[in-house]
Amino acid sequence: MSKTKAKKPSANLPRTKKKEPRSEWTERDFEHFTVSWCFSMCDCEGRWGFNDALDGAFWNEILPMLREFGRKTWEEVKKEPKGAGKGTKSHPISIDAISKEAQDRLRALRYFDKYEELFSLRLDAKKRLYGIRELGVFRILWYDPNHEVYPISPK
């Protein structure tokens, strides 16, 4: 009995399945990832900037909350309710909806025409972190202790 070896497919044969490149990533692709952040876009000079005016707020308020956010997925963060059917605690905000002063600061930083929205992370009833959410990373821009970047009118 003779043993026959299976022939290897020729390199010249056409492939039956063509590989197609994956489309661009979207934020939706990162909904099940845990929140991560970056300070590379951080404003260090403006009204809501990370400068000496923070006066201990970074260590006492901001970092502990970032640690909490880092234990959650983006989906969990975006679904946390404010209460009484008033929406969610953390959410995207159109740049057109923020205060004129904040829009002017974005222009000065050359971010106004580059991005369509900011993301707001709620630290407590008034305090917010604002930044750009890019590919699952929250690029921190501002710390707003008085809810002035996106003021809410009383109802």
Side-chain angles (χ1 to χ4, degrees), residues 76-146:
E76 291 169 330
V77 167
K78 288 170 64 177
K79 286 185 178 179
E80 287 181 332
K82 281 184 190 173
K86 293 183 180 180
T88 60
K89 291 180 180 180
S90 300
H91 51 87
I93 298 169
S94 169
I95 286 178
D96 295 332
I98 63 176
S99 71
K100 181 180 180 331
E101 183 179 357
Q103 289 180 18
D104 290 344
R105 185 65 188 151
L106 285 177
R107 281 186 186 90
L109 294 168
R110 297 188 176 147
Y111 295 148
F112 187 83
D113 293 326
K114 189 173 181 182
Y115 301 101
E116 294 179 7
E117 64 185 23
L118 295 180
F119 196 87
S120 168
L121 279 180
R122 182 182 193 261
L123 304 181
D124 71 17
K126 286 174 73 175
K127 298 173 184 159
R128 302 288 187 274
L129 283 179
Y130 289 95
I132 306 295
R133 187 174 166 215
E134 272 185 332
L135 302 181
V137 176
F138 183 62
R139 298 187 180 283
I140 298 170
L141 183 61
W142 294 320
Y143 169 65
D144 179 9
N146 299 310

Side-chain angles (χ1 to χ4, degrees):
M1 259 204 252
S2 69
K3 290 186 176 181
T4 58
K5 290 185 177 181
K7 290 185 178 180
K8 290 183 181 178
S10 170
N12 297 331
L13 292 176
R15 290 181 162 207
T16 55
K17 283 189 175 181
K18 185 178 180 183
K19 281 190 171 184
E20 297 201 17
R22 180 181 163 91
S23 62
E24 284 190 36
W25 291 88
T26 66
E27 289 305 326
R28 188 177 282 170
D29 295 322
F30 294 92
E31 291 299 304
H32 300 290
F33 285 56
T34 54
V35 175
S36 62
W37 57 89
C38 174
F39 285 92
S40 65
M41 290 178 68
C42 195
D43 185 359
C44 294
E45 296 174 18
R47 180 176 180 178
W48 306 290
F50 284 76
N51 53 39
D52 295 340
L54 283 178
D55 197 26
F58 180 81
W59 300 108
N60 299 323
E61 300 170 19
I62 299 168
L63 187 59
M65 288 303 295
L66 287 175
R67 291 182 69 200
E68 287 300 315
F69 285 121
R71 293 182 179 105
K72 300 175 183 177
T73 66
W74 279 106
E75 184 176 47
E76 291 169 330
V77 167
K78 288 170 64 177
K79 286 185 178 179
E80 287 181 332
K82 281 184 190 173
K86 293 183 180 180
T88 60
K89 291 180 180 180
S90 300
H91 51 87
I93 298 169
S94 169
I95 286 178
D96 295 332
I98 63 176
S99 71
K100 181 180 180 331
E101 183 179 357
Q103 289 180 18
D104 290 344
R105 185 65 188 151
L106 285 177
R107 281 186 186 90
L109 294 168
R110 297 188 176 147
Y111 295 148
F112 187 83
D113 293 326
K114 189 173 181 182
Y115 301 101
E116 294 179 7
E117 64 185 23
L118 295 180
F119 196 87
S120 168
L121 279 180
R122 182 182 193 261
L123 304 181
D124 71 17
K126 286 174 73 175
K127 298 173 184 159
R128 302 288 187 274
L129 283 179
Y130 289 95
I132 306 295
R133 187 174 166 215
E134 272 185 332
L135 302 181
V137 176
F138 183 62
R139 298 187 180 283
I140 298 170
L141 183 61
W142 294 320
Y143 169 65
D144 179 9
N146 299 310
H147 214 301
E148 298 166 322
V149 170
Y150 181 61
I152 303 296
S153 58
K155 293 182 179 177

